[in-house]
Amino acid sequence: MIGFMGTMGDKILGRLVPKAVAQADTTFQKICYCSQRNSFYYRQTCHVVGGYTSCGTCYLSSPCRPSA
């Protein structure tokens, strides 16, 4: 009987209390585009903080790879 009450209590508590969700803060690079005029990639730095993403402006990065 005590085991049953513990299981029921766990189920009720699981429905009442929201589960924790981990959200890691991170920074990453994103390619904006490859310019055909000067053959360079343009990139931007993006940040994820508290589940929200924001990106900076695009900047000149590295030469484009030749297309096959």
Side-chain angles (χ1 to χ4, degrees):
M1 184 73 174
I2 293 176
F4 174 73
M5 294 297 286
T7 305
M8 279 302 282
D10 288 343
K11 287 183 180 179
I12 293 171
L13 194 62
R15 289 186 181 174
L16 294 176
V17 179
K19 294 181 182 179
V21 177
Q23 293 179 346
D25 296 345
T26 186
T27 300
F28 62 94
Q29 297 288 318
K30 181 176 158 183
I31 294 175
C32 299
Y33 59 92
C34 179
S35 173
Q36 297 298 325
R37 187 171 35 159
N38 60 7
S39 278
F40 277 91
Y41 279 116
Y42 284 81
R43 296 180 184 258
Q44 62 188 158
T45 303
C46 299
H47 305 282
V48 178
V49 178
Y52 295 99
T53 303
S54 65
C55 297
T57 58
C58 295
Y59 61 90
L60 188 65
S61 178
S62 58
C64 295
R65 290 184 222 125
S67 57

